[in-house]
């Protein structure tokens, strides 16, 4: 098969389990090692295919490996890739090297037992193939010889293909969910590095930076480094960048927290860094920060499985304190921004300031309404701003402006005539204006040439008056004629009574004396407004019938 010495993987037998099967039990985290390898190989396209025969494959168009590369690099566990690149850049020179520990090939044994690899360097007419078997490696005594082969290849071909068989999981792999999970493990997806997950049926799910936030309805956003303040010394000095957003509604637990990336790869899973601030705001916050400076620290502060950072060093402790301070500040800013946005939406929904509305209620119900509105507007309530606005509108329907009085039941014509005085609480003037509007309308519609209000309503209504308020009911019901006379005369008598009993005294006496004496209280005036509203409604309904 070959004139070379056989390919050998040398290791302590326990290494396969400790750094592979036991450390990488999650499919996305294991596959992330292969995605990172493709990135470091200067690949521009990576395809992850879920195959129908309970297998999964990953192919890339990177520079690939020669047989010597496979022997000296791929089959050497723990090789520090950075040592092969003093500049810290990939072979093509355009990317920072993201791999470091050389444990990626063992990660796959956490999810499957058989690894099939085929790789080709550019301008080579031969592809190198090997097969790694988990059970055979476990039984080997520190030196494992994988099954090796080669096959013809076009000199224009290059890249690496890996198929993982004998998967340990029994449940089907959801391609879309896998794409979302992988989007959270990297931050270097873009035009020059595209990764796609393909389902067994051929459906494609491209991975992008935006995918991790695609299902979130963003309300507020903080972009870094722009959002660092002058006193955020670590954030500014270390050029920490990224985006943090708040959602319009509480996030699922898996989406909460700030993810840290180092040179585009996950370095610390989402969290809030032990901030002592109330966790309520954290139900809405998510995002990521790029802390690339950690990659240069010695010793390495990033865990082998790249899920956590060692916070017990001087540099990482300073970073943690900075992040804690940031979380507290964003929590405070979120509450302020949300309160402002909520107030604007609610004020729009209710047609004005909620405080003005609540303050217009002068009876004992005012405090109860205020407590209810305050509770609904609170940022502690688990609902969106839109939902809060809708709920406030429902409360306003039950307790509209001036709810303890008769405003909501007054005829629109009376509301138009009295609104200015009503809102000011000047109910005495409101009654006078309501009676004026009622009388002037009756005069206009009855064509009565008279200036005295009592005479106007006396001549306009009643059994012999031109304005009939009950005729509409006589036409459609078998009422007695006497009933009609009684109602028509009642309209007349009540109209005269309201003029003589309210308008005339108020026109001749000081309002303050009437009020302080108890002769005409606020309730008296509001009762009178109800009566005028009733009379006006009768008159307008009759006019509508006649026209």
């Amino acid at each position: 098969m070959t004139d070379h010495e056989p390919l050998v993987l040398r290791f302590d037998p326990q290494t396969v389990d400790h750094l592979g099967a036991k450390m990488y039990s999650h499919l996305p985290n294991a596959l992330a090692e292969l995605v990172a390898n493709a990135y470091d190989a200067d690949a521009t396209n990576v395809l992850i295919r879920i195959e129908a025969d309970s297998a999964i494959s990953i192919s890339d168009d990177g520079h690939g490996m020669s047989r010597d590369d496979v022997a000296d690099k791929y089959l050497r566990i723990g090789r520090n890739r950075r040592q092969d690149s003093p500049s810290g850049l990939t072979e093509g020179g355009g990317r920072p090297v993201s791999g470091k520990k050389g444990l990626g090939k063992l990660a796959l044994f956490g999810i499957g037992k058989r690894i099939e690899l085929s790789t080709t360097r550019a301008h080579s007419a031969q592809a190198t193939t090997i097969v790694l078997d988990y059970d055979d490696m476990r039984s080997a005594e520190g030196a494992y010889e994988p099954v090796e082969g080669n096959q013809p290849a076009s000199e224009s071909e290059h890249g690496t293909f890996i198929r993982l068989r004998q998967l340990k999981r029994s449940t089907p792999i959801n391609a879309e969910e896998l794409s979302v999970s992988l989007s959270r493990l990297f931050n270097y997806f873009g035009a020059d590095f595209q990764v796609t997950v393909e389902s067994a049926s051929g459906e494609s799910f491209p991975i992008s930076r935006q995918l991790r936030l695609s299902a979130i309805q963003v309300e507020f956003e903080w972009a870094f480094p722009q959002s660092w303040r002058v006193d955020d010394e670590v954030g500014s000095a270390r050029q920490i960048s990224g985006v943090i957003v708040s959602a319009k509604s509480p996030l699922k637990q898996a989406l909460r927290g700030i993810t840290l990336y180092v040179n585009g790869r996950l370095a610390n899973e989402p969290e809030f860094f032990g901030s002592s601030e109330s966790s309520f705001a954290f139900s809405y916050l998510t995002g990521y920060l790029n802390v690339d400076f950690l990659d240069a620290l010695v010793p390495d502060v990033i865990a082998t499985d790249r899920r956590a950072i060692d916070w017990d060093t001087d540099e990482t402790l300073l970073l943690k304190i900075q992040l804690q301070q940031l979380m507290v500040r964003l929590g405070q800013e979120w509450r302020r921004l949300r309160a402002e946005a909520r107030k604007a939406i609610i004020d729009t929904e209710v047609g004005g300031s909620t405080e003005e509305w609540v303050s217009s209620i002068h009876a004992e119900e005012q405090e109860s309404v205020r407590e209810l509105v305050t509770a609904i507007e609170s940022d502690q309530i688990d609902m969106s701003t839109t939902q809060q606005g809708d709920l406030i509108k429902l409360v306003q329907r039950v307790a509209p402006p001036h709810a303890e009085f008769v405003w909501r039941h007054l005829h629109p014509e009376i509301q138009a005539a009295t609104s200015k005085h009503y809102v000011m609480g000047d109910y005495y003037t409101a009654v006078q204006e309501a009676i004026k509007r009622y009388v002037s309308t009756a005069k206009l519609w009855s064509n009565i040439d008279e200036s005295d209000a009592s005479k106007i309503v006396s001549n306009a209504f009643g059994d012999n008056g031109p304005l009939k308020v009950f005729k509409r009911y006589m036409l459609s019901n078998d009422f007695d004629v006497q009933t009609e006379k009684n109602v028509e005369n009642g309209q007349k008598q009540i109209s005269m009574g309201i003029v003589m009993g309210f308008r005339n005294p108020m026109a001749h006496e000081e309002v303050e004396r009437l009020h302080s004496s108890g002769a005409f209280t606020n309730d008296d005036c509001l009762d009178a407004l109800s009566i005028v509203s009733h009379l006006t409604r009768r008159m307008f309904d009759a006019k509508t019938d006649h026209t």
Side-chain angles (χ1 to χ4, degrees), residues 330-400:
L330 293 189
Q332 295 170 346
E333 290 183 8
W334 172 80
R335 281 189 290 273
R336 176 181 58 79
L337 290 170
R338 196 163 186 256
E340 293 173 355
R342 183 174 57 250
K343 184 179 186 327
I345 291 176
I346 292 175
D347 287 353
T348 299
E349 292 287 345
V350 303
S353 167
T354 55
E355 179 54 34
E356 290 179 2
W357 151 46
V358 175
S359 296
S360 74
I361 302 172
H362 296 294
E364 59 186 14
E365 290 83 7
Q366 182 193 79
E367 193 56 35
S368 297
V369 174
R370 176 174 280 110
E371 290 178 3
L372 180 58
V373 170
T374 300
I376 295 173
E377 291 183 336
S378 169
D379 62 7
Q380 299 294 314
I381 195 167
D382 189 12
M383 65 175 62
S384 68
T385 302
T386 301
Q387 290 173 320
Q388 288 175 305
D390 291 341
L391 194 54
I392 290 291
K393 287 172 64 178
L394 291 176
V395 175
Q396 193 180 48
R397 286 175 59 185
V398 176

Side-chain angles (χ1 to χ4, degrees), residues 219-437:
E219 186 170 28
F220 308 115
E221 178 176 316
W222 294 266
F224 298 87
Q226 298 92 321
S227 294
W228 291 119
R229 300 190 307 194
V230 175
D231 56 340
D232 292 325
E233 297 180 1
V234 175
S236 299
R238 298 301 189 182
Q239 298 180 326
I240 298 174
S241 62
V243 174
I244 297 177
V245 302
S246 66
K248 291 184 178 179
S249 56
L251 295 166
K252 294 180 180 179
Q253 188 65 41
L255 295 177
R256 300 174 185 177
I258 312 305
T259 306
L260 299 184
Y261 294 95
V262 172
N263 286 332
R265 288 197 65 186
L266 175 75
N268 198 81
E269 292 191 324
E271 63 165 301
F272 293 106
F273 315 104
S275 173
S276 60
E277 182 71 3
S278 169
S279 62
F280 183 75
F282 298 160
S283 299
Y284 295 78
L285 292 178
T286 187
Y288 64 90
L289 293 171
N290 300 307
V291 288
D292 296 345
F293 75 95
L294 294 183
D295 208 28
L297 297 185
V298 179
D300 194 355
V301 297
I302 304 172
T304 299
D305 62 355
R306 302 191 69 91
R307 300 176 67 178
I309 289 172
D310 177 4
W311 297 109
D312 292 329
T313 71
D314 292 341
E315 283 281 345
T316 56
L317 181 58
L318 288 175
L319 172 62
K320 187 173 186 178
I321 293 173
Q322 172 73 94
L323 296 177
Q324 288 175 344
Q325 294 171 345
L326 176 63
M327 293 303 101
V328 172
R329 172 162 68 89
L330 293 189
Q332 295 170 346
E333 290 183 8
W334 172 80
R335 281 189 290 273
R336 176 181 58 79
L337 290 170
R338 196 163 186 256
E340 293 173 355
R342 183 174 57 250
K343 184 179 186 327
I345 291 176
I346 292 175
D347 287 353
T348 299
E349 292 287 345
V350 303
S353 167
T354 55
E355 179 54 34
E356 290 179 2
W357 151 46
V358 175
S359 296
S360 74
I361 302 172
H362 296 294
E364 59 186 14
E365 290 83 7
Q366 182 193 79
E367 193 56 35
S368 297
V369 174
R370 176 174 280 110
E371 290 178 3
L372 180 58
V373 170
T374 300
I376 295 173
E377 291 183 336
S378 169
D379 62 7
Q380 299 294 314
I381 195 167
D382 189 12
M383 65 175 62
S384 68
T385 302
T386 301
Q387 290 173 320
Q388 288 175 305
D390 291 341
L391 194 54
I392 290 291
K393 287 172 64 178
L394 291 176
V395 175
Q396 193 180 48
R397 286 175 59 185
V398 176
H402 315 287
E404 78 279 20
F405 300 136
V406 299
W407 181 258
R408 57 181 153 167
H409 300 299
L410 294 181
H411 188 275
E413 190 72 11
I414 300 304
Q415 288 181 337
T418 64
S419 61
K420 175 181 177 181
H421 306 287
Y422 202 110
V423 169
M424 294 173 59
D426 184 3
Y427 305 118
Y428 296 88
T429 304
V431 172
Q432 293 185 59
E433 293 302 309
I435 295 174
K436 287 179 184 178
R437 179 67 62 90

